[in-house]
Amino acid sequence: MQLGIIGLGKMGYNLSQNLLDNKHEVVAFDVNQEAVKTISDLGATGASSVADLVSKLSSPKVVWVMVPAGPITENVLVELKELLNENDIVIDGGNSNYKESLRRAAELKEAGIHFLDVGTSGGMEGARNGSCTMIGGNKEAFATVEQIFKDICVENGYLYAGESGSGHYLKMVHNGIEYGMMQAIAEGFEVLEKSPFDYDYEKVARVWNNGSVIRSWLMELTENAFSKDAKLEGIRGVMQSSGEGKWTVEEALDLQTATPVIALSLMMRYRSLEDDTFTGKVVAALRNEFGGHSVVKK
Amino acid sequence: MQLGIIGLGKMGYNLSQNLLDNKHEVVAFDVNQEAVKTISDLGATGASSVADLVSKLSSPKVVWVMVPAGPITENVLVELKELLNENDIVIDGGNSNYKESLRRAAELKEAGIHFLDVGTSGGMEGARNGSCTMIGGNKEAFATVEQIFKDICVENGYLYAGESGSGHYLKMVHNGIEYGMMQAIAEGFEVLEKSPFDYDYEKVARVWNNGSVIRSWLMELTENAFSKDAKLEGIRGVMQSSGEGKWTVEEALDLQTATPVIALSLMMRYRSLEDDTFTGKVVAALRNEFGGHSVVKK
Amino acid sequence: MQLGIIGLGKMGYNLSQNLLDNKHEVVAFDVNQEAVKTISDLGATGASSVADLVSKLSSPKVVWVMVPAGPITENVLVELKELLNENDIVIDGGNSNYKESLRRAAELKEAGIHFLDVGTSGGMEGARNGSCTMIGGNKEAFATVEQIFKDICVENGYLYAGESGSGHYLKMVHNGIEYGMMQAIAEGFEVLEKSPFDYDYEKVARVWNNGSVIRSWLMELTENAFSKDAKLEGIRGVMQSSGEGKWTVEEALDLQTATPVIALSLMMRYRSLEDDTFTGKVVAALRNEFGGHSVVKK
Amino acid sequence: MQLGIIGLGKMGYNLSQNLLDNKHEVVAFDVNQEAVKTISDLGATGASSVADLVSKLSSPKVVWVMVPAGPITENVLVELKELLNENDIVIDGGNSNYKESLRRAAELKEAGIHFLDVGTSGGMEGARNGSCTMIGGNKEAFATVEQIFKDICVENGYLYAGESGSGHYLKMVHNGIEYGMMQAIAEGFEVLEKSPFDYDYEKVARVWNNGSVIRSWLMELTENAFSKDAKLEGIRGVMQSSGEGKWTVEEALDLQTATPVIALSLMMRYRSLEDDTFTGKVVAALRNEFGGHSVVKK
């Protein structure tokens, strides 16, 4: 079917290729017109603006927004609300906060526009070759575009999760779990690194990927990473984070739920952003105060 | 090749079947002679005692011990030390603490007996159809029996990890990671359970198993579990643990390593064993003392 | 000096007594007119409504609001904004979120009214006999009422912390620390409770209050609590929480700060609210899936 | 009364002064004979060896050992077992592991020697002017030397805790609580440090020490520390640890007790010992693998 794609970054570009492979008619726009040109060469119809993109779609129009969550997504959706009409469908495939999606669904509904909040997992490779999507919003609107998800996802790789917000909520929690699994794997390798034994981490990850209880895609990626840099000597252990892990913890707090593993996974990421901590200084100063323990001077 | 199996419990029995399928000659013993009879019916040679088992093997004799870690393993190994001779090989496939394995390897070496410490993962199904094993000990002894591992493990599913202790150490850390991954998954579902949405957990687990970053065998098991009991209403959230998670944390402490996720996974298991806590009572009493906050009377 | 007190609950009533003892002229209002009558008997001037209270004050009017944080505080402040005039001073002595205080300070400023956000610690006894207060807001407004703080606080027990919001922010963090200290103390006693020794907890708390590094008011309260119920057998370990601990964690997340101890103190409180957890069910179900470990049936 | 002191380090020297102030007759030995000379100038009787010290005591001899826990304590106690006789009393005032104390008490008992395991808190200042002690061991032996504890401790500052091991056990848990309280305080100040406000930390600590719920000796030490270095700019946040916090966590694990706050306090100390972590590298590498997120190169 025909659909517009707004945003041709890492995810949007791969998604567009995936859609073209599956014989969908893609009208594509990005502020970076180079990316538009490149995808046009692969068969997409290029658009010079959001308005241009909308004008090139036939009704009911379907627009997939794949731009960074936050203000950029907001601006695109505000613009789309002006340009679209009743029964048109907007899909937000980015990592938006589900509370924003709830609000946006309500706002677009005022204009009769359907809004689907779609969490996407699987990374760039998934976007290109088959991803996993979790979809929230109006069930009939979903049915209208279901074929898209059938085509771009791996088998059994999409789920209509329920009413508005439920798609991004599920993606949020998915990422919370991901943080915990990654930290668990990483802690394990840190123990190995400090252990009295001399392990080959790539081989360890490989054997764990074959028959063990902890075999997983993340462990496969671990194997890949070690195959490129056996001891990860080339990089620093700085753990950035986007918003979903934090949102999961905030949601857990709002629900009065104990999620220590997800919370600590996040906090250890924050800790990794710093060379030194004020917490550490206070504790060191206190040890010096009561026990005369020496401190490390700067 | 010919080998003896001591222990025909959940793991040992499945392993024996696996070995028989792969045309190995199995001499089997268990204190439960019923189990010996059953496996004999499938082609194994039954033994009536550890000594009987040893007497039925030709030199160099290979004995795989698959009994509960701790005193039972200890007793079997002590007995084997008396019965075996130079160049015989003992394999401990149980969840023994690597420090015990280091000691046992040294003790058996006194008698010229080789000891391989083998961590086994993959559960009962793995033992039956293809498991994952991590092997520590003398490299030549390993080479002698490598064909066994080739046959009973999935492809790429065994690793000679290095000197004595390194096999059980790797299994220990594997289980530490497993604890963290399980807790991460479980926390995610708890957030979903308390969320404002009404998810079908089996479907959620299924979609996460198809194309998502967190796809994994544990998530497949989660899908299975929800397929049998959609809300897990039939069971209580009591999380038992065997020793390896605890050993991983103790090892981390000895190595001065921060493993908050593995440690908390373990501690939440301990917490789940109790209906009420003294910690909670003290905090509740303190809140009452300073703020006059009401306490919940028993 | 003269001031109005709105709210005669546990904190407000004790505070009013404290103010009367210190020869301040108190005009008091509470929706519970019984409380108004009781405090009037002690020398306060009773008021029948917020408007009545305001009318009984001379300019510049000073009103201390001591009602539950949230909607009730909001309603009182909205009403006061209508009733008060330029240079009047409103003090919020409750546990309001500092972000609310920032907003309220700005809104009241529109009408020329000064707003002081005052965190109060020390419990009911402190309110009665000498508390600890942390004050944010306009410095001149603070100077106008400083004598009040001098009188109702213990020596060195009040601090002008800085601009609007800084008082409630400091109280928020104070409570975060409090959560951590309480949990630390409580965990220690839980270890003692499960230890092989038979300790007298009241005596333990007492010795720790005399000369040890961990001597503290909280440990004194622990001693008091054990003096009343030696093993806390009469209460359940249900740990309620008001908002400040949660806000501290949320603030830490916003600041990308690792505060594992405060976060876990909060999460263990949440955990204590439940008899059973979905997390536990999922982990138990998974153990059953891969290892055939038995689950506890309901 | 007369007693021998072995060990004139920070704690032992201050303790000896304290004993001399209280008119006890001190026979002192240290491998550092300078320290022996200095304390002799203050009235103690110097000894040139452990044997010399023992020979200068009259029966029943009382020897207080105040040397570093571990091998040094072990060596002294082994030597004392040879030198002492039935009904003599050995006091271990160091931070020994309670399991060692249990063993030592049993070993010394073979020779009829009483062993008291004494946990000491209050730092150097406490040792000098009045400390807090927790005493385990034979009750009659304790009674024989009770006057010593009465004199060197603050009022109500000593506790006969029970049978052998219970003194060092109590000190161990005391330190676990201490770790948690310190980390809680430190995390609070880290939030303040990153907050939008500009606090004077010395003043904050002071106001919290006057009337607040979290007033404590540790907060007084915090105030002291900030009075010397307002932002702790001169030191690094490296948090060393001696053994007791680790032992508390290990004991909690053995007791299957959840002590997340004490465990995390310890693990954050370990984390502070490292500039970079392997955990961080693995997580960063994984993020790069699945999302193409950039890593920080070395």
Side-chain angles (χ1 to χ4, degrees), chain D residues 8-286:
Chain D
L8 295 168
K10 285 184 297 192
M11 293 298 289
Y13 189 85
N14 281 304
L15 174 67
S16 299
Q17 283 188 284
N18 190 342
L19 285 159
L20 291 168
D21 287 351
N22 282 285
K23 311 298 172 201
H24 291 282
E25 188 187 336
V26 174
V27 183
F29 168 70
D30 192 285
V31 289
N32 173 9
Q33 286 285 311
E34 284 295 316
V36 176
K37 167 109 189 47
T38 315
I39 202 72
S40 299
D41 292 346
L42 296 176
T45 303
S48 60
S49 67
V50 171
D52 184 39
L53 176 138
V54 169
S55 73
K56 284 173 170 157
L57 296 169
S58 35
S59 295
K61 304 180 183 211
V62 176
V63 184
W64 185 303
V65 181
M66 204 69 170
V67 300
I72 302 180
T73 293
E74 185 67 19
N75 290 343
V76 169
L77 293 177
V78 166
E79 195 173 354
L80 284 173
K81 187 181 174 187
E82 297 306 311
L83 295 165
L84 295 176
N85 293 306
E86 212 172 320
N87 289 323
D88 289 343
I89 296 172
V90 175
I91 297 168
D92 177 8
N95 277 322
S96 296
N97 187 305
Y98 84 97
K99 291 177 184 171
E100 298 291 326
S101 299
L102 282 172
R103 175 180 59 74
R104 287 162 181 164
E107 287 170 7
L108 289 164
K109 200 179 180 183
E110 292 164 7
I113 304 166
H114 297 299
F115 179 76
L116 298 177
D117 54 289
V118 174
T120 309
S121 180
M124 295 176 295
E125 190 205 300
R128 179 67 189 87
N129 299 312
S131 66
C132 167
T133 57
M134 302 142 243
I135 306 135
N138 181 276
K139 196 162 190 174
E140 287 172 38
F142 163 71
T144 308
V145 297
E146 182 169 4
Q147 188 63 41
I148 295 173
F149 296 105
K150 203 168 265 176
D151 289 341
I152 62 165
C153 297
V154 299
E155 198 179 339
N156 289 318
Y158 70 95
L159 175 69
Y160 173 72
E163 53 189 302
S164 280
S166 65
H168 280 147
Y169 194 97
L170 208 49
K171 177 64 190 334
M172 172 187 80
V173 172
H174 163 282
N175 280 33
I177 294 173
E178 180 190 295
Y179 277 46
M181 290 175 81
M182 288 167 76
Q183 177 74 16
I185 290 170
E187 289 180 4
F189 279 97
E190 177 156 335
V191 172
L192 294 186
E193 174 71 2
K194 290 185 176 159
S195 79
F197 302 105
D198 182 29
Y199 294 108
D200 179 322
Y201 302 138
E202 183 190 356
K203 288 183 180 169
V204 167
R206 182 176 307 125
V207 78
W208 283 347
N209 277 320
N210 290 284
S212 97
V213 172
I214 59 177
R215 63 190 187 257
S216 53
W217 194 52
L218 282 165
M219 192 61 79
E220 289 172 35
L221 297 180
T222 307
E223 188 182 335
N224 288 352
F226 282 125
S227 75
K228 296 169 191 166
D229 184 351
K231 299 271 181 185
L232 302 179
E233 286 171 334
I235 63 173
R236 279 185 59 75
V238 177
M239 301 182 269
Q240 305 288 348
S241 53
S242 43
E244 302 86 358
K246 177 169 180 272
W247 298 336
T248 308
V249 179
E250 289 172 339
E251 181 72 12
L253 296 181
D254 283 342
L255 299 171
Q256 299 205 313
T257 303
T259 55
V261 156
I262 298 176
L264 264 295
S265 298
L266 178 65
M267 287 196 162
M268 295 314 281
R269 291 199 179 190
Y270 292 159
R271 177 61 187 82
S272 79
L273 304 180
E274 317 208 39
D275 284 330
D276 200 3
T277 67
F278 204 67
T279 298
K281 291 178 177 217
V282 173
V283 170
L286 283 175

Side-chain angles (χ1 to χ4, degrees), chain A residues 201-222:
Chain A
Y201 303 138
E202 183 191 353
K203 288 183 181 170
V204 167
R206 183 175 307 126
V207 78
W208 283 348
N209 276 321
N210 290 285
S212 97
V213 173
I214 60 177
R215 61 188 187 258
S216 54
W217 194 52
L218 283 165
M219 192 60 81
E220 290 173 34
L221 297 180
T222 306

Side-chain angles (χ1 to χ4, degrees), chain C residues 27-71:
Chain C
V27 182
F29 168 70
D30 193 286
V31 287
N32 171 7
Q33 286 285 312
E34 283 295 315
V36 176
K37 168 109 190 45
T38 316
I39 202 73
S40 299
D41 293 346
L42 297 175
T45 302
S48 59
S49 67
V50 172
D52 184 39
L53 176 141
V54 170
S55 72
K56 284 172 169 158
L57 296 170
S58 35
S59 295
K61 304 179 182 211
V62 176
V63 183
W64 185 303
V65 180
M66 206 70 170
V67 298

Side-chain angles (χ1 to χ4, degrees), chain A residues 169-218:
Chain A
Y169 194 97
L170 209 49
K171 177 65 189 334
M172 172 187 79
V173 172
H174 163 283
N175 281 34
I177 294 173
E178 178 190 296
Y179 277 46
M181 290 174 82
M182 289 168 75
Q183 177 74 15
I185 291 169
E187 290 180 4
F189 279 96
E190 178 155 336
V191 172
L192 295 185
E193 173 71 3
K194 291 185 176 159
S195 80
F197 302 105
D198 181 28
Y199 293 108
D200 179 322
Y201 303 138
E202 183 191 353
K203 288 183 181 170
V204 167
R206 183 175 307 126
V207 78
W208 283 348
N209 276 321
N210 290 285
S212 97
V213 173
I214 60 177
R215 61 188 187 258
S216 54
W217 194 52
L218 283 165

